[in-house]
Amino acid sequence: MDLEKEINRRRTFAIISHPDAGKTTLTEKFLLYGGAINTAGSVKGKANSKYAVSDWMDIEKERGISVTSSVLQFEYDDYCINILDTPGHQDFSEDTYRTLMAADSAVMVIDASKGVEAQTIKLFKVCVMRHIPIFTFINKMDRDARDSFELLSDIESVLGIQTCPINWPIGSGKDFKGIYDRKAKTVRTFTQTAVGGAKEAKEVDYDVESDELKALAGDTLYEQLLEEIELLDEAGNEFDLNAVQNGNLSPVFFGSALNTFGVEIFLKYFLSMTTHPLARESDEGVIDPVTAPFSGFIFKIQANMNKAHRDRIAFMRICSGKFDADKDVYHVQSQRRLKLSQPQTIMAQERSIINEAYAGDVVGVFDPGIFSIGDTLTAPGNKFAYEGIPTFAPEHFSRLVSLNSMKRKQFIKGITQIAQEGAIQIFEDYNLGMSEIIVGVVGVLQFDVLKYRLENEYGCEIRLEPLPYQFIRWIGDPSTDPGKLRRMNNVKAVKDMKGNPLLLFVNDWMIRMVLEDNEGLELKEFRKN
Ligand code: G4P
């Protein structure tokens, strides 16, 4: 198959949701259709204490949450699909943000009984910032749901995006009869499957005018359906593929992932409405996925994924051309030519070595310790760099004390590696240097992860002493000496791992005071890697 065909059949998307809305179940059902797994429950089955293949740390099992993002690749209907699974727990949002940078579109799973939840809002904002298409799957229709129109207006008002239902439910909970396809004008009836919907559900379609459907739905629900269809046709947003692809209109689908209902319809429409990998901005202009030679960027780094392999894996999103494992690549940031050893597709802990991959794919490569999040890899001879991934400002800070002075080397190695992965940010006191280490995180759970990992992977015991700071600002001009700034009581000056000076503030008000009293001082909220 030629390069263009290979790239055009790729779809790379992230699934986002509030925890428990059904993201894992939906992902699993996609894999079922793609033939990548045979039975449901192999991705996750909390009930029989089999955990998601994406759960890789004991801490996840203890807490029943998914800490890391994994990448799943499967084939369906001539498409090659890459799903970027994102951790749903709010404390892991920074990793999730980065994963969204590698996706071309996003699927938002919403629990029909709950509507838009806090976590969805945060993640959604990143999608909006990137103008990527967002598809909504309203899940759990087999349970009592909120009114469908109410759910739509919730999405529109809370998230600020227009919606266009592609199908429409008939009833919900024990009265859930099926979904009406607005384009085909047919109704697919709902059958409850065995627990977990291990098999692909039997799905039957009826014409909306048919007597069988009237009998199945019953008079009340049937009348209600006709009224609602009329209302949608008259007052709803019209479908506009351009608006979908620009991220301004979200196509909405209803179903029940657990019962494997509405999942295949969703997948089919989704694949036809979303795009293959598109051109991306670099510092040398737009890079076309097909005509440009190989290039990609690192969006995630993870160490010690599996204790059996004590290594560091960098996740690379390929943005253009074909990646060939036998050929050298150029690492733009270190200006080094190198061969990426043992490139692999990673399905959680399952790894398989690959020889080639195409724009749209995500490949895990061994990191010899030179990669950072946001780095660009190109075919030798090309030196452009993709736009960096923003570093999100940590909101919680602690002083990090090593309890075992004999293990200083291991301790420094551990915190440096974990920081390079981007899970935490490390700072040193501006004057005292590494003898006072401060760690900053986006979500407090990362403190526990850090403690756990330092103990389990590096054999280092630590103590974390919480600090009152909540805001961090990079000093615009790195040659500024914080010691010479005015109004610095209660403000802490630190350096990041690259030696850049920063200030930590207890509240917003202090930031304004320091800015007012130090003319010409520039403070930045984000820093591009
Ligand atoms: P998440 O990844 O978004 O956190 O959600 P996950 O798929 O783990 O689903 C959360 C819970 O919701 C699970 O139940 C799952 O079985 C259930 N669920 C998912 N989709 C549907 C659906 O369409 N209908 C209904 N009724 N339930 C659904 P659990 O009790 O937490 O786990 P388990 O014991 O069922 O595995």
Side-chain angles (χ1 to χ4, degrees):
M1 209 183 277
D2 66 26
L3 183 75
E4 187 168 1
K5 260 196 182 155
E6 275 296 351
I7 295 175
N8 285 348
R9 73 187 194 96
R10 272 160 167 80
R11 297 289 183 276
T12 303
F13 63 94
I15 303 201
I16 59 179
S17 77
H18 192 87
D20 268 353
K23 181 169 60 80
T24 313
T25 313
L26 185 66
T27 307
E28 180 180 83
K29 298 307 163 84
F30 285 160
L31 297 181
L32 201 64
Y33 281 111
I37 54 170
N38 299 320
T39 51
S42 33
V43 174
K44 188 178 192 177
K46 283 182 210 151
N48 56 11
S49 56
K50 256 168 58 188
Y51 288 85
V53 284
S54 59
D55 289 356
W56 60 279
M57 279 184 359
D58 293 347
I59 193 168
E60 297 180 305
K61 295 184 188 168
E62 281 162 21
R63 291 170 184 258
I65 51 165
S66 173
V67 182
T68 52
S69 317
S70 359
V71 186
L72 308 166
Q73 188 182 59
F74 68 97
E75 299 262 337
Y76 175 80
D77 224 10
D78 273 348
Y79 288 99
C80 176
I81 298 169
N82 294 297
I83 302 186
L84 305 172
D85 184 22
T86 54
H89 196 284
Q90 58 175 355
D91 280 332
F92 292 90
S93 40
E94 182 154 21
D95 211 14
T96 313
Y97 293 151
R98 294 200 189 103
T99 299
L100 289 174
M101 298 288 169
D104 294 328
S105 57
V107 168
M108 175 166 77
V109 186
I110 288 181
D111 182 330
S113 66
K114 300 203 170 121
V116 178
E117 295 175 86
Q119 183 62 16
T120 323
I121 302 173
K122 268 178 144 184
L123 297 173
F124 181 84
K125 287 195 175 145
V126 182
C127 298
V128 170
M129 185 175 96
R130 292 207 43 225
H131 302 290
I132 60 174
I134 297 159
F135 295 78
T136 307
F137 185 81
I138 299 187
N139 191 31
K140 303 199 187 181
M141 289 306 297
D142 59 311
R143 292 241 185 103
D144 286 338
R146 283 175 54 188
D147 175 73
S148 306
F149 285 106
E150 231 180 83
L151 286 167
L152 294 188
S153 72
D154 199 20
I155 298 169
E156 296 191 354
S157 61
V158 180
L159 301 179
I161 187 172
Q162 295 301 301
T163 57
C164 176
I166 304 300
N167 54 36
W168 194 252
I170 309 174
S172 74
K174 59 180 175 6
D175 286 333
F176 183 45
K177 302 291 179 194
I179 42 176
Y180 167 69
D181 183 325
R182 294 181 66 202
K183 189 167 163 226
K185 299 200 187 322
T186 54
V187 169
R188 182 158 292 189
T189 52
F190 172 67
T191 348
Q192 183 108 35
T193 58
V195 178
K199 294 244 159 38
E200 291 173 26
K202 200 176 87 199
E203 300 191 325
V204 185
D205 289 337
Y206 295 95
D207 190 281
V208 69
E209 309 266 336
S210 74
D211 292 336
E212 288 114 304
L213 179 69
K214 280 180 208 164
L216 258 164
D219 289 346
T220 319
L221 283 174
Y222 186 74
E223 288 304 319
Q224 189 187 334
L225 172 70
L226 296 187
E227 272 170 34
E228 290 181 346
I229 294 174
E230 204 181 312
L231 195 59
L232 277 177
D233 290 346
E234 278 168 16
N237 292 309
E238 250 180 67
F239 181 75
D240 172 353
L241 191 58
N242 260 333
V244 171
Q245 293 182 347
N246 294 331
N248 294 322
L249 180 71
S250 178
V252 178
F253 300 81
F254 293 82
S256 165
L258 188 65
N259 288 283
T260 326
F261 183 76
V263 175
E264 194 172 28
I265 304 180
F266 171 63
L267 188 59
K268 284 202 153 111
Y269 273 113
F270 168 75
L271 291 169
S272 70
M273 291 173 182
T274 187
T275 64
H276 52 78
L278 299 175
R280 282 194 178 233
E281 284 288 340
S282 81
D283 58 358
E284 289 185 6
V286 165
I287 306 296
D288 183 86
V290 177
T291 55
F294 160 76
S295 71
F297 68 91
I298 306 289
F299 67 94
K300 175 182 165 72
I301 295 174
Q302 199 170 301
N304 308 331
M305 277 177 77
N306 180 339
K307 278 199 171 175
H309 312 252
R310 288 190 69 88
D311 52 17
R312 236 160 79 126
I313 301 281
F315 288 76
M316 167 177 67
R317 152 76 202 231
I318 303 177
C319 300
S320 65
K322 179 183 173 189
F323 167 70
D324 192 331
D326 292 332
K327 292 194 180 142
D328 281 2
V329 300
Y330 180 72
H331 177 222
V332 176
Q333 279 71 15
S334 71
Q335 303 179 4
R336 270 162 70 176
R337 202 180 155 125
L338 64 145
K339 196 164 260 132
L340 295 175
S341 70
Q342 299 196 34
Q344 48 204 298
T345 54
I346 308 227
M347 183 156 156
Q349 291 187 359
E350 306 282 323
R351 303 171 179 196
S352 34
I353 302 288
I354 52 142
N355 295 319
E356 53 184 47
Y358 296 86
D361 290 343
V362 170
V363 174
V365 296
F366 277 105
D367 174 12
I370 59 169
F371 297 142
S372 292
I373 307 262
D375 283 4
T376 302
L377 294 156
T378 59
N382 294 277
K383 297 191 171 165
F384 62 83
Y386 284 108
E387 286 185 318
I389 295 178
T391 297
F392 292 88
E395 290 162 21
H396 308 275
F397 300 86
S398 281
R399 186 177 293 116
L400 186 56
V401 183
S402 166
L403 297 181
N404 193 333
S405 55
M406 302 298 284
K407 290 200 169 161
R408 182 82 185 160
K409 227 173 124 186
Q410 274 301 93
F411 168 72
I412 298 290
K413 184 177 165 197
I415 56 168
T416 314
Q417 286 196 341
I418 297 171
Q420 276 169 348
E421 289 171 34
I424 55 165
Q425 291 178 46
I426 298 272
F427 308 96
E428 57 178 51
D429 182 273
Y430 191 84
N431 298 311
L432 303 173
M434 285 298 259
S435 51
E436 189 184 64
I437 298 173
I438 289 160
V439 53
V441 296
V442 173
V444 281
L445 198 54
Q446 288 292 5
F447 285 138
D448 291 354
V449 173
L450 173 67
K451 194 166 182 330
Y452 177 92
R453 291 191 56 186
L454 282 173
E455 274 170 26
N456 284 275
E457 293 168 23
Y458 300 91
C460 300
E461 299 234 11
I462 57 152
R463 188 176 66 233
L464 287 157
E465 297 171 354
L467 295 170
Y469 309 107
Q470 288 183 36
F471 297 89
I472 187 164
R473 293 290 182 270
W474 274 265
I475 297 179
D477 174 5
S479 63
T480 309
D481 176 0
K484 301 220 166 94
L485 294 174
R486 294 153 54 100
R487 278 272 191 167
M488 289 288 284
N489 26 336
N490 267 334
V491 179
K492 188 161 182 68
V494 295
K495 281 185 197 164
D496 67 13
M497 287 171 82
K498 292 184 175 158
N500 300 307
L502 303 104
L503 301 178
L504 304 182
F505 297 92
V506 180
N507 56 39
D508 225 358
W509 183 80
M510 298 289 293
I511 304 176
R512 284 198 302 275
M513 294 307 289
V514 168
L515 280 171
E516 266 171 33
D517 279 15
N518 294 280
E519 223 187 293
L521 176 71
E522 198 197 346
L523 295 175
K524 292 182 182 165
E525 203 169 334
F526 295 106
R527 181 177 60 83
K528 291 252 174 145
N529 280 314

